[in-house]
Amino acid sequence: AQSVTQLGSHVSVSEGALVLLRCNYSSSVPPYLFWYVQYPNQGLQLLLKYTSAATLVKGINGFEAEFKKSETSFHLTKPSAHMSDAAEYFCAVSDYGGSQGNLIFGKGTKLSVKP
Amino acid sequence: DAGVTQSPTHLIKTRGQQVTLRCSPKSGHDTVSWYQQALGQGPQFIFQYYEEEERQRGNFPDRFSGHQFPNYSSELNVNALLLGDSALYLCASSLVGEETQYFGPGTRLLVL
């Protein structure tokens, strides 16, 4: 069965610092992986996705993630944090490793950005 | 291009009551999935509808049921509400054959 583990429920960085949010997955099939962002009292917005093409995936708002099969990881990074990045971030894996599968989410990492 | 819309935005019910939540998918999408997000947790999959049929179902009791209409919009019904059903209910739409799901703003349900 597929699963996702997000290390660190809360990450705090200073404005301008590197953002690193960790995600490890378990999948019995080649995974499709996603990062979503959730701002307070809102739904989920897709940041980026990995679907077995390039291992380094670029997303919106300057975020990117690298798929590392050997480490079963899909960590999210951004070189320089901005105050507007403060939100909760969810990593997800597609249940059947492809399209139409339901998404299995991690518990989320809340990102705080200090001025 | 309208995204995924959900109604109502907030709802308060009492234990034992029934509730219906509504979702309109993104234009051109034909598949609707529902998720429950409890406070401080990640979303959990409830079920998915395609061609007006339930195609997949997560680990939720039969009190949770749904429907998809010919225009692809969908309803989530929850019977005999429990306090533990209090959560944000998210609808996501997608197009068959594509892997990306687009989420609506959610309906926040409070059961007293």
Side-chain angles (χ1 to χ4, degrees):
Chain A
Q2 277 64 257
S3 67
V4 168
T5 302
Q6 291 185 242
L7 299 175
S9 59
H10 194 180
V11 170
S12 182
V13 301
S14 297
E15 193 173 19
L18 171 72
V19 176
L20 171 61
L21 304 182
R22 300 178 187 274
C23 172
N24 288 89
Y25 70 91
S26 171
S27 178
S28 58
V29 296
Y32 280 23
L33 294 159
F34 305 81
W35 275 100
Y36 283 88
V37 61
Q38 185 175 38
Y39 297 99
N41 300 314
Q42 293 188 26
L44 302 176
Q45 180 183 8
L46 179 69
L47 275 177
L48 48 82
K49 62 182 179 183
Y50 168 78
T51 57
S52 75
T55 56
L56 182 62
V57 181
K58 294 188 183 298
I60 62 171
N61 302 338
F63 285 94
E64 63 182 37
E66 186 172 8
F67 172 72
K68 292 187 177 181
K69 184 178 179 180
S70 61
E71 299 177 8
T72 61
S73 69
F74 190 56
H75 301 332
L76 182 70
T77 60
K78 182 174 180 178
S80 177
H82 192 271
M83 296 296 290
S84 60
D85 295 327
E88 188 145 26
Y89 292 79
F90 292 94
C91 182
V93 63
S94 179
D95 193 22
Y96 299 112
S99 61
Q100 305 311 304
N102 59 276
L103 296 175
I104 298 172
F105 286 87
K107 292 188 176 182
T109 298
K110 187 172 183 179
L111 176 66
S112 299
V113 181
K114 298 175 290 186
Chain B
D1 179 22
V4 180
T5 60
Q6 293 185 243
S7 63
T9 55
H10 294 81
L11 205 51
I12 300 175
K13 292 286 187 178
T14 56
R15 280 179 295 175
Q17 285 190 311
Q18 179 263 345
V19 69
T20 297
L21 311 182
R22 295 176 175 83
C23 171
S24 291
K26 185 177 168 65
S27 178
H29 285 183
D30 54 13
T31 303
V32 173
S33 303
W34 287 91
Y35 293 80
Q36 179 195 66
Q37 185 179 16
L39 199 61
Q41 301 294 318
Q44 288 199 313
F45 174 72
I46 303 174
F47 43 54
Q48 182 182 83
Y49 276 84
Y50 172 68
E51 291 189 334
E52 302 180 50
E53 301 232 342
E54 183 182 292
R55 187 160 66 170
Q56 300 175 44
R57 189 178 182 92
N59 189 25
F60 279 79
D62 292 345
R63 298 186 298 109
F64 289 77
S65 64
H67 189 77
Q68 186 179 34
F69 299 94
N71 66 353
Y72 307 118
S73 67
S74 177
E75 288 182 350
L76 164 65
N77 301 291
V78 187
N79 294 321
L81 284 167
L82 304 174
L83 296 180
D85 295 331
S86 295
L88 180 68
Y89 288 85
L90 295 164
C91 169
S93 74
S94 55
L95 182 62
V96 65
E98 296 186 2
E99 68 282 341
T100 303
Q101 296 187 19
Y102 295 86
F103 285 80
T107 294
R108 189 164 296 281
L109 172 64
L110 177 61
V111 182
L112 301 176

